Structures are given as structure tokens and as C-alpha cells.
Amino acid sequence: KRGHSIREDEIDTQMGQSERHCTYCVVPSVRGVEQSRSMEAILQECLQLAATGYKEVTLLGQNIDAYGRDMTPRRTFADLLHYLNDNLPNNTISRIRYVTSHPRYFSDRVIDAVADLAKVCECFHVPFQAGDDQVLRDMRRGYTYDSYMNIIRKIRAKAPDASICGDVIVGFPGETEEAFQRTLDLMEEVKFDNLNTFAYSPRPNTEAANWENQVPPDVQSDRLQRVQALAAKHALERSERYVGRVVDVLVEDRNPKNRNEVMGRTRQGRQVFFEGDVDELKGEEVMVEIVEARTWSLVGKIATS
């Protein structure tokens, strides 16, 4: 089957909202209690998608590491990854991704699964939101700078070539310049492959929206620009490690800016552009030699050997 569906679809692993909600999050006011879907139901959905041509799926959960806590017998998200990896036949779904991990619930077993399972892509999305411990407490995130970095060190040790992506919020109520500097410090220590950046904005029916210590918009804007500049610097550094390597790329579509090129992604999620016939390559996994690194993407050529 041709079309975008050859690459990826998204599958909910949980329904509802996380039990422990942050002070800035609007989700608890619009969704019900978190419920895990059975592993068997998720497998069947994967198989149905594979039958129509899908090669890649992304498992979704607001706090995917809490998967299975409400089940009898109790399950874990690592159990789900192993179950799908072992029960999806070859030539069906070849790549499994997932979002989003919460540092408070993050499990070493998930790191092991990502490092060891053939169908699970080497990509971690672990939002940190802020680097200052007091801001994290005010957000009600349930972890600290040090405990977050402990997760990162374990990932680097077990899966050194994995990509690490995150989310950050600047200008949260009460964030001082010193507190913001801790966010920059954490970014420098991790060097994220990709970072989603946001300036805090008050949401209705959230605790933080009613606090009096709101950060002025001009200060928020300045901090957002500084974070985005540093994130781009790190992203280019992370892209540069691919130059000269041959990587496996799942072709998604034609490059809309160059009809002679196709585009796809590495297992780590980096977008790759290279010359090729989209009619022949779409939906195929192609070995590509990387010849150029860009901030958010790579350029390559089909490997000859």
C-alpha cells in the first residue's frame, strides 16, 4: 500500500488523564481517570494496521510509564514493549515508538527494552520542563534536576546511540533568572537531539494560572529565544555524529522542496533526505550513507555496499 500510512500510525495505550497532574496542566479538567488498554487489544490494532500497509506505530499515553498499574495482574510498559516485539510477525510492523515518558515514573526496564528489542526504536522522549528544583516543585513534577540527570546517565550507558528528546517550559510563575539558568545548565549537560520549547501561558482551571507571581511576557520571550538558540546548537551537534555513517531509513514520502529526493527517518527519529524514486522506495527501509548534517535533519545517499 502507498501513502503516508505506510510509515506510521498512533495507538492509544491509555485512556483518560494522569492521576498526578501538574499545576499548569488543563488535561485533568477535560478527561477522565487513566485506564490502560489490554496488551492483546493493542497487538490486534497493530496487526490490523500492518495488514493495510503500516510499517511503524507510535504508542501514545500522557504518562506512558504508568501503563498497566491499573490492571490485574499488574503490568508494566516494559511488559507491553516485550509483548509487541515478540508477537508482531516479521514483515509487519518493524518499528515501534512511544510518547510520552514522565521522569517520576520512568523505569530502568524501559531503557533495557529500548536497548535490546529489535522492533523498538532507540529514541527517548523525556520532558524535563525546568531545571530548577523549586520550579519543579511548584509545577508538581515529582522529580529533581539530579534525579532527571540520573535517568539520562542510565540511558547513555545502556543505549549510547539513542536520541533523547524533551520538553521545556520557560517563564513559569516565580521563575527567577537564577532558576532559568538551571534550565540552561541541564540542557548543556544533556544536549537534546530535539527539544520542544514553550513559554508558560495560563490555562483555565489550573492552579498556576491564579498565582500572583507571573513572569512578564518580555522576560518570557527573552528566555524562550535563549532556550531555542541553545537547543538548535545542540541539535546540530547531535546531527553531526551521523556524518560518514550508514543508517537505516524508512522512506515516508517525496521531499516537497525537491522532487528528485525522498525523505524518511532513522530509527532515532532524525529526518533524512536523499535522491531516489519515491514510487520505488516509499515504505521501504533503505541503507543510506549520511554526507551532511543539518540542525534538524540529515542529507545522504543510497549506500552502495
Side-chain angles (χ1 to χ4, degrees):
K1 178 179 178 180
R2 299 299 178 187
H4 181 72
S5 63
I6 283 178
R7 189 183 79 85
E8 178 181 11
D9 196 23
E10 297 174 339
I11 298 175
D12 281 318
T13 62
Q14 299 164 306
M15 308 300 290
Q17 55 102 0
S18 173
E19 296 173 359
R20 179 187 177 92
H21 58 272
C22 304
T23 56
Y24 56 83
C25 185
V26 72
V27 173
S29 66
V30 297
R31 300 189 72 176
V33 176
E34 191 175 71
Q35 293 180 305
S36 302
R37 296 178 62 197
S38 72
M39 296 194 297
E40 293 79 9
I42 295 170
L43 174 63
Q44 286 306 309
E45 186 170 350
C46 288
L47 292 173
Q48 291 167 8
L49 291 168
T52 61
Y54 287 79
K55 298 289 185 70
E56 177 178 316
V57 296
T58 298
L59 307 177
L60 298 179
Q62 187 192 9
N63 174 16
I64 205 161
D65 299 286
Y67 173 83
R69 293 186 306 159
D70 57 329
M71 301 172 75
T72 304
R74 188 182 179 100
R75 303 289 189 184
T76 68
F77 182 58
D79 292 336
L80 175 60
L81 292 177
H82 278 273
Y83 179 80
L84 295 177
N85 185 81
D86 295 344
N87 288 279
L88 283 168
N90 293 332
N91 301 317
T92 58
I93 301 298
S94 60
R95 292 185 175 189
I96 301 170
R97 302 187 189 277
Y98 67 91
V99 290
T100 297
S101 291
H102 193 302
R104 181 172 183 265
Y105 298 99
F106 197 85
S107 165
D108 291 357
R109 291 189 60 214
V110 172
I111 300 177
D112 293 338
V114 172
D116 298 337
L117 299 180
K119 293 184 176 69
V120 180
C121 291
E122 298 85 356
C123 182
F124 294 88
H125 181 214
V126 193
F128 72 99
Q129 308 299 14
D132 181 73
D133 287 350
Q134 183 58 56
V135 173
L136 290 170
R137 282 192 292 272
D138 292 343
M139 289 179 166
R140 200 183 293 129
R141 291 292 290 171
Y143 55 87
T144 65
Y145 182 115
D146 289 340
S147 63
Y148 183 89
M149 286 308 307
N150 190 45
I151 293 171
I152 300 302
R153 284 188 286 269
K154 289 178 179 179
I155 291 173
R156 295 289 192 218
K158 185 70 178 182
D161 198 39
S163 63
I164 299 179
C165 307
D167 299 350
V168 62
I169 298 171
V170 301
F172 188 77
E175 182 188 65
T176 64
E177 178 62 26
E178 182 181 9
F180 172 67
Q181 184 60 50
R182 291 295 285 161
T183 290
L184 299 180
D185 292 343
L186 188 147
M187 290 174 61
E188 288 283 15
E189 195 166 352
V190 177
K191 298 186 186 301
F192 291 94
D193 290 73
N194 185 64
L195 187 64
N196 300 316
T197 60
F198 306 93
Y200 169 77
S201 59
R203 303 291 179 173
N205 302 314
T206 61
E207 295 176 49
N210 299 317
W211 297 348
E212 296 182 357
N213 55 348
Q214 304 291 322
V215 175
D218 60 328
V219 176
Q220 288 188 330
S221 178
D222 173 71
R223 291 176 183 173
L224 184 62
Q225 292 178 44
R226 289 155 67 188
V227 158
Q228 290 174 338
L230 186 58
K233 174 178 177 288
H234 292 158
L236 180 58
E237 291 178 16
R238 295 295 289 166
S239 287
E240 287 171 342
R241 80 186 196 275
Y242 289 103
V243 175
R245 292 170 51 180
V246 174
V247 297
D248 185 6
V249 176
L250 177 57
V251 178
E252 302 172 7
D253 213 334
R254 191 192 309 274
N255 180 356
K257 297 182 179 180
N258 184 341
R259 295 185 60 83
N260 295 320
E261 290 184 346
V262 296
M263 61 184 185
R265 292 185 185 275
T266 67
R267 288 178 58 89
Q268 293 85 358
R270 223 14 154 225
Q271 191 168 54
V272 181
F273 300 98
F274 62 96
E275 287 191 6
D277 185 337
V278 70
D279 294 324
E280 293 181 2
L281 298 178
K282 193 171 187 177
E284 301 297 327
E285 292 190 59
V286 181
M287 301 308 295
V288 177
E289 180 183 352
I290 303 303
V291 299
E292 180 185 343
R294 298 174 180 172
T295 303
W296 309 113
S297 64
L298 306 167
V299 178
K301 61 182 181 180
I302 295 177
T304 56
S305 60

